[in-house]
Amino acid sequence: QRKVRGRRNKMAAGGDQAVWAQWSQEQQEFLKSCFADLKAEMLAPMKASIERLVETQKMQGTAIKEVQQKASDNEDEILGPAVRVEAHEALHKRWQERLEDLENRSRRQNLRILGLPEAVE
């Protein structure tokens, strides 16, 4: 059966060419123009869809760039106060150490040692 099918396919292909050759030039041109029109008719909606997709993609790309820029701007705005907070924390720590040192120095004068008079000069 395979050999028979193969022969049929070859005959059909040859037969198509034979039928095509029998048609006049005018008929062939008419068929070609019909197929071209059909092709254009079928491709037009696809092209329109592709164009809409491309436009949508461009708009989304623009929106993504805007979001990235805003995120970058927000990061910059957050970093400014964060640096100031760190500087204030360092200053606070330094003042706290200085306050503790002054308190310790003021307490030294309040010490009393038993057995020694207070005014020894």
Side-chain angles (χ1 to χ4, degrees):
Q1 282 185 348
R2 286 185 180 181
K3 291 181 182 179
V4 173
R5 282 186 191 165
R7 286 184 193 153
R8 284 184 191 160
N9 288 339
K10 288 180 186 175
M11 288 172 59
D16 289 344
Q17 287 178 351
V19 170
W20 185 256
Q22 290 176 358
W23 289 350
S24 69
Q25 185 68 28
E26 186 178 313
Q27 289 173 324
Q28 290 177 6
E29 292 300 321
F30 175 74
L31 282 176
K32 286 180 183 179
S33 71
C34 286
F35 283 126
D37 291 344
L38 182 62
K39 180 180 172 183
E41 220 176 272
M42 293 176 72
L43 288 180
M46 287 187 236
K47 285 182 180 179
S49 294
I50 290 172
E51 289 173 1
R52 284 193 305 270
L53 288 172
V54 167
E55 186 61 32
T56 301
Q57 184 182 14
K58 286 179 184 177
M59 290 177 8
Q60 288 175 345
T62 302
I64 288 172
K65 286 179 184 176
E66 289 175 4
V67 168
Q68 288 174 336
Q69 183 61 42
K70 287 179 182 179
S72 176
D73 293 346
N74 288 340
E75 286 176 2
D76 294 343
E77 286 179 19
I78 290 171
L79 289 178
V83 169
R84 287 192 299 252
V85 166
E86 288 177 11
H88 286 202
E89 286 175 349
L91 185 62
H92 176 73
K93 183 179 178 185
R94 208 170 78 218
W95 285 349
Q96 198 171 16
E97 289 171 354
R98 189 166 182 205
L99 176 65
E100 190 176 321
D101 182 55
L102 289 172
E103 284 178 354
N104 289 336
R105 288 178 190 266
S106 71
R107 287 187 185 132
R108 287 182 192 165
Q109 295 176 1
N110 294 336
L111 289 177
R112 287 199 173 153
I113 300 175
L114 296 175
L116 289 176
E118 284 189 31
V120 177
E121 291 186 21

